[in-house]
Amino acid sequence: VRCMKGMLLQDMANQLNCTYISDLRFLPEPDVIKVFLKYIPSQKYSIDDWNQTAWYLVGKKVSFSSELEVRDYIINSDLPRLL
């Protein structure tokens, strides 16, 4: 079962106790995002949702063709800290 389009960032923010999606950029330990992503089945969200999430979190526009590839890309990237 896939979630609604564009919900990955919102679901992540909710699970990590962030009030807003933008709060994900201010987490004291951004690696918690990587841990969270490791436990999400990649096919739960659309490829567009994953690519948009990568763009938001990593800061680079990407266009992967599989959910697993983009999830692994985010997990293996250095996430910027804004604190």
PDB file of all heavy atoms in Angstrom, residues 17-56:
ATOM      1  N   ASN A  17       8.944  13.809  15.692  1.00  0.00           N
ATOM      2  CA  ASN A  17       8.427  14.833  16.604  1.00  0.00           C
ATOM      3  C   ASN A  17       8.757  16.258  16.183  1.00  0.00           C
ATOM      4  O   ASN A  17       9.038  17.119  17.024  1.00  0.00           O
ATOM      5  CB  ASN A  17       8.916  14.570  18.039  1.00  0.00           C
ATOM      6  CG  ASN A  17       8.390  13.278  18.578  1.00  0.00           C
ATOM      7  OD1 ASN A  17       7.210  12.956  18.414  1.00  0.00           O
ATOM      8  ND2 ASN A  17       9.255  12.505  19.206  1.00  0.00           N
ATOM      9  N   CYS A  18       8.721  16.495  14.876  1.00  0.00           N
ATOM     10  CA  CYS A  18       8.911  17.847  14.353  1.00  0.00           C
ATOM     11  C   CYS A  18       7.532  18.464  14.109  1.00  0.00           C
ATOM     12  O   CYS A  18       6.647  17.818  13.560  1.00  0.00           O
ATOM     13  CB  CYS A  18       9.684  17.802  13.040  1.00  0.00           C
ATOM     14  SG  CYS A  18      11.366  17.173  13.203  1.00  0.00           S
ATOM     15  N   THR A  19       7.370  19.703  14.498  1.00  0.00           N
ATOM     16  CA  THR A  19       6.106  20.399  14.270  1.00  0.00           C
ATOM     17  C   THR A  19       5.902  20.664  12.787  1.00  0.00           C
ATOM     18  O   THR A  19       4.795  20.527  12.271  1.00  0.00           O
ATOM     19  CB  THR A  19       6.071  21.716  15.052  1.00  0.00           C
ATOM     20  OG1 THR A  19       6.289  21.426  16.443  1.00  0.00           O
ATOM     21  CG2 THR A  19       4.742  22.418  14.898  1.00  0.00           C
ATOM     22  N   TYR A  20       6.961  21.048  12.107  1.00  0.00           N
ATOM     23  CA  TYR A  20       6.902  21.389  10.686  1.00  0.00           C
ATOM     24  C   TYR A  20       7.950  20.580   9.929  1.00  0.00           C
ATOM     25  O   TYR A  20       8.974  20.186  10.494  1.00  0.00           O
ATOM     26  CB  TYR A  20       7.181  22.877  10.465  1.00  0.00           C
ATOM     27  CG  TYR A  20       6.278  23.774  11.255  1.00  0.00           C
ATOM     28  CD1 TYR A  20       6.733  24.406  12.411  1.00  0.00           C
ATOM     29  CD2 TYR A  20       4.955  23.981  10.860  1.00  0.00           C
ATOM     30  CE1 TYR A  20       5.891  25.223  13.155  1.00  0.00           C
ATOM     31  CE2 TYR A  20       4.107  24.802  11.601  1.00  0.00           C
ATOM     32  CZ  TYR A  20       4.585  25.416  12.738  1.00  0.00           C
ATOM     33  OH  TYR A  20       3.760  26.215  13.465  1.00  0.00           O
ATOM     34  N   ILE A  21       7.723  20.395   8.636  1.00  0.00           N
ATOM     35  CA  ILE A  21       8.703  19.703   7.799  1.00  0.00           C
ATOM     36  C   ILE A  21      10.044  20.428   7.861  1.00  0.00           C
ATOM     37  O   ILE A  21      11.101  19.801   7.915  1.00  0.00           O
ATOM     38  CB  ILE A  21       8.198  19.587   6.351  1.00  0.00           C
ATOM     39  CG1 ILE A  21       7.021  18.600   6.287  1.00  0.00           C
ATOM     40  CG2 ILE A  21       9.315  19.157   5.408  1.00  0.00           C
ATOM     41  CD1 ILE A  21       6.314  18.559   4.946  1.00  0.00           C
ATOM     42  N   SER A  22      10.017  21.743   7.875  1.00  0.00           N
ATOM     43  CA  SER A  22      11.263  22.521   7.911  1.00  0.00           C
ATOM     44  C   SER A  22      12.095  22.229   9.155  1.00  0.00           C
ATOM     45  O   SER A  22      13.308  22.419   9.156  1.00  0.00           O
ATOM     46  CB  SER A  22      10.970  24.013   7.802  1.00  0.00           C
ATOM     47  OG  SER A  22      10.148  24.433   8.872  1.00  0.00           O
ATOM     48  N   ASP A  23      11.456  21.736  10.215  1.00  0.00           N
ATOM     49  CA  ASP A  23      12.200  21.390  11.435  1.00  0.00           C
ATOM     50  C   ASP A  23      13.173  20.238  11.200  1.00  0.00           C
ATOM     51  O   ASP A  23      14.135  20.072  11.954  1.00  0.00           O
ATOM     52  CB  ASP A  23      11.243  21.014  12.574  1.00  0.00           C
ATOM     53  CG  ASP A  23      10.411  22.182  13.061  1.00  0.00           C
ATOM     54  OD1 ASP A  23      10.765  23.347  12.763  1.00  0.00           O
ATOM     55  OD2 ASP A  23       9.393  21.931  13.730  1.00  0.00           O
ATOM     56  N   LEU A  24      12.950  19.443  10.146  1.00  0.00           N
ATOM     57  CA  LEU A  24      13.875  18.346   9.839  1.00  0.00           C
ATOM     58  C   LEU A  24      15.279  18.878   9.560  1.00  0.00           C
ATOM     59  O   LEU A  24      16.262  18.197   9.824  1.00  0.00           O
ATOM     60  CB  LEU A  24      13.378  17.552   8.623  1.00  0.00           C
ATOM     61  CG  LEU A  24      12.110  16.730   8.829  1.00  0.00           C
ATOM     62  CD1 LEU A  24      11.564  16.242   7.485  1.00  0.00           C
ATOM     63  CD2 LEU A  24      12.369  15.560   9.775  1.00  0.00           C
ATOM     64  N   ARG A  25      15.364  20.088   9.060  1.00  0.00           N
ATOM     65  CA  ARG A  25      16.671  20.685   8.749  1.00  0.00           C
ATOM     66  C   ARG A  25      17.390  21.199   9.994  1.00  0.00           C
ATOM     67  O   ARG A  25      18.558  21.566   9.921  1.00  0.00           O
ATOM     68  CB  ARG A  25      16.500  21.827   7.769  1.00  0.00           C
ATOM     69  CG  ARG A  25      15.999  21.370   6.426  1.00  0.00           C
ATOM     70  CD  ARG A  25      15.840  22.543   5.507  1.00  0.00           C
ATOM     71  NE  ARG A  25      15.368  22.114   4.212  1.00  0.00           N
ATOM     72  CZ  ARG A  25      15.711  22.700   3.082  1.00  0.00           C
ATOM     73  NH1 ARG A  25      16.514  23.728   3.092  1.00  0.00           N
ATOM     74  NH2 ARG A  25      15.228  22.264   1.946  1.00  0.00           N
ATOM     75  N   PHE A  26      16.709  21.233  11.113  1.00  0.00           N
ATOM     76  CA  PHE A  26      17.293  21.770  12.343  1.00  0.00           C
ATOM     77  C   PHE A  26      17.454  20.725  13.440  1.00  0.00           C
ATOM     78  O   PHE A  26      17.667  21.071  14.595  1.00  0.00           O
ATOM     79  CB  PHE A  26      16.436  22.936  12.859  1.00  0.00           C
ATOM     80  CG  PHE A  26      16.409  24.094  11.916  1.00  0.00           C
ATOM     81  CD1 PHE A  26      15.366  24.244  11.018  1.00  0.00           C
ATOM     82  CD2 PHE A  26      17.444  25.015  11.892  1.00  0.00           C
ATOM     83  CE1 PHE A  26      15.343  25.304  10.119  1.00  0.00           C
ATOM     84  CE2 PHE A  26      17.431  26.079  11.000  1.00  0.00           C
ATOM     85  CZ  PHE A  26      16.383  26.223  10.113  1.00  0.00           C
ATOM     86  N   LEU A  27      17.345  19.457  13.072  1.00  0.00           N
ATOM     87  CA  LEU A  27      17.537  18.403  14.072  1.00  0.00           C
ATOM     88  C   LEU A  27      18.962  18.464  14.600  1.00  0.00           C
ATOM     89  O   LEU A  27      19.909  18.625  13.824  1.00  0.00           O
ATOM     90  CB  LEU A  27      17.267  17.028  13.457  1.00  0.00           C
ATOM     91  CG  LEU A  27      15.816  16.718  13.122  1.00  0.00           C
ATOM     92  CD1 LEU A  27      15.728  15.434  12.298  1.00  0.00           C
ATOM     93  CD2 LEU A  27      14.990  16.593  14.387  1.00  0.00           C
ATOM     94  N   PRO A  28      19.145  18.331  15.913  1.00  0.00           N
ATOM     95  CA  PRO A  28      20.503  18.387  16.461  1.00  0.00           C
ATOM     96  C   PRO A  28      21.387  17.260  15.927  1.00  0.00           C
ATOM     97  O   PRO A  28      22.591  17.412  15.829  1.00  0.00           O
ATOM     98  CB  PRO A  28      20.311  18.252  17.967  1.00  0.00           C
ATOM     99  CG  PRO A  28      18.863  18.079  18.210  1.00  0.00           C
ATOM    100  CD  PRO A  28      18.133  18.183  16.926  1.00  0.00           C
ATOM    101  N   GLU A  29      20.781  16.140  15.577  1.00  0.00           N
ATOM    102  CA  GLU A  29      21.527  15.006  15.041  1.00  0.00           C
ATOM    103  C   GLU A  29      20.833  14.532  13.760  1.00  0.00           C
ATOM    104  O   GLU A  29      19.918  13.712  13.809  1.00  0.00           O
ATOM    105  CB  GLU A  29      21.589  13.876  16.074  1.00  0.00           C
ATOM    106  CG  GLU A  29      22.467  12.725  15.676  1.00  0.00           C
ATOM    107  CD  GLU A  29      23.851  13.142  15.213  1.00  0.00           C
ATOM    108  OE1 GLU A  29      24.587  13.774  15.992  1.00  0.00           O
ATOM    109  OE2 GLU A  29      24.189  12.851  14.060  1.00  0.00           O
ATOM    110  N   PRO A  30      21.244  15.053  12.591  1.00  0.00           N
ATOM    111  CA  PRO A  30      20.554  14.710  11.352  1.00  0.00           C
ATOM    112  C   PRO A  30      20.632  13.233  10.974  1.00  0.00           C
ATOM    113  O   PRO A  30      19.834  12.759  10.181  1.00  0.00           O
ATOM    114  CB  PRO A  30      21.218  15.587  10.293  1.00  0.00           C
ATOM    115  CG  PRO A  30      22.452  16.113  10.900  1.00  0.00           C
ATOM    116  CD  PRO A  30      22.317  16.020  12.384  1.00  0.00           C
ATOM    117  N   ASP A  31      21.564  12.487  11.558  1.00  0.00           N
ATOM    118  CA  ASP A  31      21.645  11.054  11.237  1.00  0.00           C
ATOM    119  C   ASP A  31      20.413  10.284  11.684  1.00  0.00           C
ATOM    120  O   ASP A  31      20.167   9.182  11.205  1.00  0.00           O
ATOM    121  CB  ASP A  31      22.903  10.434  11.844  1.00  0.00           C
ATOM    122  CG  ASP A  31      24.153  10.788  11.064  1.00  0.00           C
ATOM    123  OD1 ASP A  31      24.021  11.278   9.910  1.00  0.00           O
ATOM    124  OD2 ASP A  31      25.255  10.581  11.581  1.00  0.00           O
ATOM    125  N   VAL A  32      19.602  10.866  12.554  1.00  0.00           N
ATOM    126  CA  VAL A  32      18.359  10.212  12.961  1.00  0.00           C
ATOM    127  C   VAL A  32      17.446  10.045  11.739  1.00  0.00           C
ATOM    128  O   VAL A  32      16.680   9.086  11.654  1.00  0.00           O
ATOM    129  CB  VAL A  32      17.668  10.967  14.114  1.00  0.00           C
ATOM    130  CG1 VAL A  32      17.061  12.265  13.656  1.00  0.00           C
ATOM    131  CG2 VAL A  32      16.623  10.113  14.769  1.00  0.00           C
ATOM    132  N   ILE A  33      17.547  10.942  10.772  1.00  0.00           N
ATOM    133  CA  ILE A  33      16.784  10.818   9.534  1.00  0.00           C
ATOM    134  C   ILE A  33      17.206   9.561   8.784  1.00  0.00           C
ATOM    135  O   ILE A  33      16.382   8.801   8.288  1.00  0.00           O
ATOM    136  CB  ILE A  33      16.977  12.068   8.647  1.00  0.00           C
ATOM    137  CG1 ILE A  33      16.300  13.275   9.306  1.00  0.00           C
ATOM    138  CG2 ILE A  33      16.451  11.838   7.238  1.00  0.00           C
ATOM    139  CD1 ILE A  33      16.594  14.594   8.622  1.00  0.00           C
ATOM    140  N   LYS A  34      18.509   9.311   8.725  1.00  0.00           N
ATOM    141  CA  LYS A  34      19.014   8.127   8.026  1.00  0.00           C
ATOM    142  C   LYS A  34      18.533   6.851   8.702  1.00  0.00           C
ATOM    143  O   LYS A  34      18.149   5.893   8.026  1.00  0.00           O
ATOM    144  CB  LYS A  34      20.540   8.162   7.978  1.00  0.00           C
ATOM    145  CG  LYS A  34      21.078   9.320   7.172  1.00  0.00           C
ATOM    146  CD  LYS A  34      22.588   9.332   7.217  1.00  0.00           C
ATOM    147  CE  LYS A  34      23.135  10.498   6.429  1.00  0.00           C
ATOM    148  NZ  LYS A  34      24.582  10.433   6.288  1.00  0.00           N
ATOM    149  N   VAL A  35      18.550   6.841  10.012  1.00  0.00           N
ATOM    150  CA  VAL A  35      18.065   5.665  10.744  1.00  0.00           C
ATOM    151  C   VAL A  35      16.588   5.454  10.458  1.00  0.00           C
ATOM    152  O   VAL A  35      16.150   4.334  10.181  1.00  0.00           O
ATOM    153  CB  VAL A  35      18.320   5.820  12.263  1.00  0.00           C
ATOM    154  CG1 VAL A  35      17.666   4.700  13.038  1.00  0.00           C
ATOM    155  CG2 VAL A  35      19.815   5.881  12.548  1.00  0.00           C
ATOM    156  N   PHE A  36      15.820   6.525  10.478  1.00  0.00           N
ATOM    157  CA  PHE A  36      14.392   6.447  10.182  1.00  0.00           C
ATOM    158  C   PHE A  36      14.166   5.860   8.788  1.00  0.00           C
ATOM    159  O   PHE A  36      13.338   4.967   8.598  1.00  0.00           O
ATOM    160  CB  PHE A  36      13.766   7.844  10.288  1.00  0.00           C
ATOM    161  CG  PHE A  36      12.332   7.898   9.876  1.00  0.00           C
ATOM    162  CD1 PHE A  36      11.331   7.488  10.740  1.00  0.00           C
ATOM    163  CD2 PHE A  36      11.974   8.359   8.622  1.00  0.00           C
ATOM    164  CE1 PHE A  36       9.996   7.535  10.366  1.00  0.00           C
ATOM    165  CE2 PHE A  36      10.647   8.416   8.241  1.00  0.00           C
ATOM    166  CZ  PHE A  36       9.664   8.000   9.116  1.00  0.00           C
ATOM    167  N   LEU A  37      14.914   6.341   7.807  1.00  0.00           N
ATOM    168  CA  LEU A  37      14.728   5.896   6.432  1.00  0.00           C
ATOM    169  C   LEU A  37      15.085   4.427   6.232  1.00  0.00           C
ATOM    170  O   LEU A  37      14.510   3.760   5.373  1.00  0.00           O
ATOM    171  CB  LEU A  37      15.543   6.766   5.473  1.00  0.00           C
ATOM    172  CG  LEU A  37      15.067   8.208   5.329  1.00  0.00           C
ATOM    173  CD1 LEU A  37      16.013   8.986   4.427  1.00  0.00           C
ATOM    174  CD2 LEU A  37      13.645   8.265   4.797  1.00  0.00           C
ATOM    175  N   LYS A  38      16.029   3.926   7.007  1.00  0.00           N
ATOM    176  CA  LYS A  38      16.416   2.515   6.875  1.00  0.00           C
ATOM    177  C   LYS A  38      15.268   1.570   7.171  1.00  0.00           C
ATOM    178  O   LYS A  38      15.239   0.450   6.679  1.00  0.00           O
ATOM    179  CB  LYS A  38      17.596   2.202   7.798  1.00  0.00           C
ATOM    180  CG  LYS A  38      18.898   2.773   7.332  1.00  0.00           C
ATOM    181  CD  LYS A  38      20.013   2.414   8.289  1.00  0.00           C
ATOM    182  CE  LYS A  38      21.317   3.055   7.832  1.00  0.00           C
ATOM    183  NZ  LYS A  38      22.422   2.746   8.735  1.00  0.00           N
ATOM    184  N   TYR A  39      14.319   2.022   7.954  1.00  0.00           N
ATOM    185  CA  TYR A  39      13.223   1.146   8.373  1.00  0.00           C
ATOM    186  C   TYR A  39      11.932   1.362   7.582  1.00  0.00           C
ATOM    187  O   TYR A  39      10.927   0.723   7.864  1.00  0.00           O
ATOM    188  CB  TYR A  39      12.964   1.300   9.873  1.00  0.00           C
ATOM    189  CG  TYR A  39      14.129   0.786  10.669  1.00  0.00           C
ATOM    190  CD1 TYR A  39      15.092   1.651  11.180  1.00  0.00           C
ATOM    191  CD2 TYR A  39      14.306  -0.576  10.874  1.00  0.00           C
ATOM    192  CE1 TYR A  39      16.192   1.175  11.882  1.00  0.00           C
ATOM    193  CE2 TYR A  39      15.395  -1.062  11.569  1.00  0.00           C
ATOM    194  CZ  TYR A  39      16.327  -0.183  12.073  1.00  0.00           C
ATOM    195  OH  TYR A  39      17.416  -0.660  12.757  1.00  0.00           O
ATOM    196  N   ILE A  40      11.965   2.250   6.607  1.00  0.00           N
ATOM    197  CA  ILE A  40      10.793   2.482   5.767  1.00  0.00           C
ATOM    198  C   ILE A  40      10.923   1.612   4.519  1.00  0.00           C
ATOM    199  O   ILE A  40      11.928   1.694   3.824  1.00  0.00           O
ATOM    200  CB  ILE A  40      10.704   3.956   5.326  1.00  0.00           C
ATOM    201  CG1 ILE A  40      10.445   4.854   6.515  1.00  0.00           C
ATOM    202  CG2 ILE A  40       9.608   4.143   4.291  1.00  0.00           C
ATOM    203  CD1 ILE A  40      10.407   6.306   6.145  1.00  0.00           C
ATOM    204  N   PRO A  41       9.929   0.801   4.223  1.00  0.00           N
ATOM    205  CA  PRO A  41       9.978   0.067   2.952  1.00  0.00           C
ATOM    206  C   PRO A  41       9.985   1.076   1.796  1.00  0.00           C
ATOM    207  O   PRO A  41       9.123   1.958   1.730  1.00  0.00           O
ATOM    208  CB  PRO A  41       8.687  -0.759   2.953  1.00  0.00           C
ATOM    209  CG  PRO A  41       8.210  -0.764   4.371  1.00  0.00           C
ATOM    210  CD  PRO A  41       8.732   0.490   5.000  1.00  0.00           C
ATOM    211  N   SER A  42      10.961   0.977   0.929  1.00  0.00           N
ATOM    212  CA  SER A  42      11.129   1.986  -0.125  1.00  0.00           C
ATOM    213  C   SER A  42       9.897   2.105  -1.012  1.00  0.00           C
ATOM    214  O   SER A  42       9.563   3.187  -1.481  1.00  0.00           O
ATOM    215  CB  SER A  42      12.365   1.677  -0.967  1.00  0.00           C
ATOM    216  OG  SER A  42      12.249   0.412  -1.568  1.00  0.00           O
ATOM    217  N   GLN A  43       9.177   1.028  -1.211  1.00  0.00           N
ATOM    218  CA  GLN A  43       8.011   1.054  -2.099  1.00  0.00           C
ATOM    219  C   GLN A  43       6.768   1.661  -1.449  1.00  0.00           C
ATOM    220  O   GLN A  43       5.739   1.803  -2.096  1.00  0.00           O
ATOM    221  CB  GLN A  43       7.710  -0.344  -2.647  1.00  0.00           C
ATOM    222  CG  GLN A  43       7.304  -1.346  -1.610  1.00  0.00           C
ATOM    223  CD  GLN A  43       8.471  -2.053  -0.918  1.00  0.00           C
ATOM    224  OE1 GLN A  43       9.561  -1.506  -0.824  1.00  0.00           O
ATOM    225  NE2 GLN A  43       8.240  -3.236  -0.406  1.00  0.00           N
ATOM    226  N   LYS A  44       6.868   2.058  -0.203  1.00  0.00           N
ATOM    227  CA  LYS A  44       5.716   2.663   0.487  1.00  0.00           C
ATOM    228  C   LYS A  44       5.358   4.025  -0.098  1.00  0.00           C
ATOM    229  O   LYS A  44       4.225   4.470  -0.008  1.00  0.00           O
ATOM    230  CB  LYS A  44       6.013   2.777   1.983  1.00  0.00           C
ATOM    231  CG  LYS A  44       4.849   3.307   2.792  1.00  0.00           C
ATOM    232  CD  LYS A  44       5.140   3.285   4.276  1.00  0.00           C
ATOM    233  CE  LYS A  44       3.952   3.846   5.049  1.00  0.00           C
ATOM    234  NZ  LYS A  44       4.202   3.856   6.486  1.00  0.00           N
ATOM    235  N   TYR A  45       6.343   4.707  -0.688  1.00  0.00           N
ATOM    236  CA  TYR A  45       6.137   6.034  -1.248  1.00  0.00           C
ATOM    237  C   TYR A  45       6.516   6.023  -2.732  1.00  0.00           C
ATOM    238  O   TYR A  45       7.322   5.209  -3.167  1.00  0.00           O
ATOM    239  CB  TYR A  45       6.973   7.073  -0.504  1.00  0.00           C
ATOM    240  CG  TYR A  45       6.606   7.175   0.953  1.00  0.00           C
ATOM    241  CD1 TYR A  45       7.285   6.442   1.915  1.00  0.00           C
ATOM    242  CD2 TYR A  45       5.554   7.974   1.365  1.00  0.00           C
ATOM    243  CE1 TYR A  45       6.931   6.517   3.251  1.00  0.00           C
ATOM    244  CE2 TYR A  45       5.188   8.061   2.697  1.00  0.00           C
ATOM    245  CZ  TYR A  45       5.885   7.324   3.634  1.00  0.00           C
ATOM    246  OH  TYR A  45       5.525   7.397   4.956  1.00  0.00           O
ATOM    247  N   SER A  46       5.970   6.957  -3.475  1.00  0.00           N
ATOM    248  CA  SER A  46       6.234   7.021  -4.915  1.00  0.00           C
ATOM    249  C   SER A  46       7.672   7.469  -5.187  1.00  0.00           C
ATOM    250  O   SER A  46       8.321   8.104  -4.345  1.00  0.00           O
ATOM    251  CB  SER A  46       5.261   8.002  -5.576  1.00  0.00           C
ATOM    252  OG  SER A  46       5.606   9.334  -5.222  1.00  0.00           O
ATOM    253  N   ILE A  47       8.146   7.164  -6.385  1.00  0.00           N
ATOM    254  CA  ILE A  47       9.485   7.594  -6.781  1.00  0.00           C
ATOM    255  C   ILE A  47       9.575   9.114  -6.788  1.00  0.00           C
ATOM    256  O   ILE A  47      10.599   9.685  -6.401  1.00  0.00           O
ATOM    257  CB  ILE A  47       9.897   6.992  -8.146  1.00  0.00           C
ATOM    258  CG1 ILE A  47      11.357   7.307  -8.470  1.00  0.00           C
ATOM    259  CG2 ILE A  47       8.987   7.456  -9.257  1.00  0.00           C
ATOM    260  CD1 ILE A  47      12.368   6.728  -7.515  1.00  0.00           C
ATOM    261  N   ASP A  48       8.509   9.800  -7.196  1.00  0.00           N
ATOM    262  CA  ASP A  48       8.515  11.265  -7.165  1.00  0.00           C
ATOM    263  C   ASP A  48       8.668  11.786  -5.744  1.00  0.00           C
ATOM    264  O   ASP A  48       9.394  12.744  -5.496  1.00  0.00           O
ATOM    265  CB  ASP A  48       7.235  11.830  -7.781  1.00  0.00           C
ATOM    266  CG  ASP A  48       7.167  11.624  -9.282  1.00  0.00           C
ATOM    267  OD1 ASP A  48       8.234  11.461  -9.914  1.00  0.00           O
ATOM    268  OD2 ASP A  48       6.044  11.635  -9.821  1.00  0.00           O
ATOM    269  N   ASP A  49       7.982  11.142  -4.815  1.00  0.00           N
ATOM    270  CA  ASP A  49       8.068  11.539  -3.409  1.00  0.00           C
ATOM    271  C   ASP A  49       9.493  11.342  -2.889  1.00  0.00           C
ATOM    272  O   ASP A  49      10.055  12.204  -2.212  1.00  0.00           O
ATOM    273  CB  ASP A  49       7.071  10.724  -2.585  1.00  0.00           C
ATOM    274  CG  ASP A  49       6.646  11.412  -1.306  1.00  0.00           C
ATOM    275  OD1 ASP A  49       7.050  12.571  -1.076  1.00  0.00           O
ATOM    276  OD2 ASP A  49       5.906  10.791  -0.535  1.00  0.00           O
ATOM    277  N   TRP A  50      10.103  10.218  -3.223  1.00  0.00           N
ATOM    278  CA  TRP A  50      11.485   9.955  -2.790  1.00  0.00           C
ATOM    279  C   TRP A  50      12.447  10.977  -3.392  1.00  0.00           C
ATOM    280  O   TRP A  50      13.325  11.499  -2.698  1.00  0.00           O
ATOM    281  CB  TRP A  50      11.905   8.536  -3.173  1.00  0.00           C
ATOM    282  CG  TRP A  50      11.433   7.504  -2.209  1.00  0.00           C
ATOM    283  CD1 TRP A  50      10.417   6.612  -2.384  1.00  0.00           C
ATOM    284  CD2 TRP A  50      11.972   7.248  -0.908  1.00  0.00           C
ATOM    285  NE1 TRP A  50      10.290   5.817  -1.274  1.00  0.00           N
ATOM    286  CE2 TRP A  50      11.230   6.182  -0.350  1.00  0.00           C
ATOM    287  CE3 TRP A  50      12.996   7.807  -0.149  1.00  0.00           C
ATOM    288  CZ2 TRP A  50      11.489   5.672   0.916  1.00  0.00           C
ATOM    289  CZ3 TRP A  50      13.258   7.298   1.119  1.00  0.00           C
ATOM    290  CH2 TRP A  50      12.507   6.248   1.629  1.00  0.00           C
ATOM    291  N   ASN A  51      12.309  11.253  -4.706  1.00  0.00           N
ATOM    292  CA  ASN A  51      13.203  12.218  -5.349  1.00  0.00           C
ATOM    293  C   ASN A  51      13.046  13.609  -4.748  1.00  0.00           C
ATOM    294  O   ASN A  51      14.030  14.311  -4.520  1.00  0.00           O
ATOM    295  CB  ASN A  51      12.962  12.243  -6.862  1.00  0.00           C
ATOM    296  CG  ASN A  51      13.591  11.066  -7.573  1.00  0.00           C
ATOM    297  OD1 ASN A  51      14.659  10.595  -7.209  1.00  0.00           O
ATOM    298  ND2 ASN A  51      12.921  10.574  -8.607  1.00  0.00           N
ATOM    299  N   GLN A  52      11.815  14.014  -4.457  1.00  0.00           N
ATOM    300  CA  GLN A  52      11.588  15.322  -3.825  1.00  0.00           C
ATOM    301  C   GLN A  52      12.166  15.362  -2.412  1.00  0.00           C
ATOM    302  O   GLN A  52      12.712  16.383  -1.979  1.00  0.00           O
ATOM    303  CB  GLN A  52      10.100  15.645  -3.806  1.00  0.00           C
ATOM    304  CG  GLN A  52       9.544  15.958  -5.167  1.00  0.00           C
ATOM    305  CD  GLN A  52       8.040  16.137  -5.167  1.00  0.00           C
ATOM    306  OE1 GLN A  52       7.375  15.970  -4.149  1.00  0.00           O
ATOM    307  NE2 GLN A  52       7.491  16.462  -6.319  1.00  0.00           N
ATOM    308  N   THR A  53      12.045  14.258  -1.700  1.00  0.00           N
ATOM    309  CA  THR A  53      12.614  14.178  -0.345  1.00  0.00           C
ATOM    310  C   THR A  53      14.130  14.290  -0.393  1.00  0.00           C
ATOM    311  O   THR A  53      14.735  14.999   0.421  1.00  0.00           O
ATOM    312  CB  THR A  53      12.173  12.871   0.338  1.00  0.00           C
ATOM    313  OG1 THR A  53      10.740  12.888   0.455  1.00  0.00           O
ATOM    314  CG2 THR A  53      12.800  12.714   1.706  1.00  0.00           C
ATOM    315  N   ALA A  54      14.755  13.631  -1.362  1.00  0.00           N
ATOM    316  CA  ALA A  54      16.213  13.731  -1.518  1.00  0.00           C
ATOM    317  C   ALA A  54      16.612  15.172  -1.811  1.00  0.00           C
ATOM    318  O   ALA A  54      17.566  15.695  -1.223  1.00  0.00           O
ATOM    319  CB  ALA A  54      16.692  12.807  -2.634  1.00  0.00           C
ATOM    320  N   TRP A  55      15.880  15.824  -2.686  1.00  0.00           N
ATOM    321  CA  TRP A  55      16.179  17.221  -3.029  1.00  0.00           C
ATOM    322  C   TRP A  55      16.072  18.097  -1.782  1.00  0.00           C
ATOM    323  O   TRP A  55      16.933  18.931  -1.502  1.00  0.00           O
ATOM    324  CB  TRP A  55      15.227  17.678  -4.119  1.00  0.00           C
ATOM    325  CG  TRP A  55      15.470  19.062  -4.650  1.00  0.00           C
ATOM    326  CD1 TRP A  55      16.589  19.827  -4.466  1.00  0.00           C
ATOM    327  CD2 TRP A  55      14.593  19.833  -5.451  1.00  0.00           C
ATOM    328  NE1 TRP A  55      16.441  21.035  -5.114  1.00  0.00           N
ATOM    329  CE2 TRP A  55      15.225  21.067  -5.727  1.00  0.00           C
ATOM    330  CE3 TRP A  55      13.325  19.611  -5.974  1.00  0.00           C
ATOM    331  CZ2 TRP A  55      14.635  22.063  -6.490  1.00  0.00           C
ATOM    332  CZ3 TRP A  55      12.747  20.608  -6.741  1.00  0.00           C
ATOM    333  CH2 TRP A  55      13.395  21.807  -6.993  1.00  0.00           C
ATOM    334  N   TYR A  56      15.037  17.885  -1.005  1.00  0.00           N
ATOM    335  CA  TYR A  56      14.825  18.695   0.194  1.00  0.00           C
ATOM    336  C   TYR A  56      15.907  18.442   1.249  1.00  0.00           C
ATOM    337  O   TYR A  56      16.439  19.376   1.838  1.00  0.00           O
ATOM    338  CB  TYR A  56      13.447  18.406   0.784  1.00  0.00           C
ATOM    339  CG  TYR A  56      13.084  19.325   1.909  1.00  0.00           C
ATOM    340  CD1 TYR A  56      12.610  20.603   1.657  1.00  0.00           C
ATOM    341  CD2 TYR A  56      13.239  18.928   3.235  1.00  0.00           C
ATOM    342  CE1 TYR A  56      12.295  21.467   2.692  1.00  0.00           C
ATOM    343  CE2 TYR A  56      12.925  19.790   4.277  1.00  0.00           C
ATOM    344  CZ  TYR A  56      12.457  21.054   3.995  1.00  0.00           C
ATOM    345  OH  TYR A  56      12.159  21.897   5.028  1.00  0.00           O
TER     346      TYR A  56
END
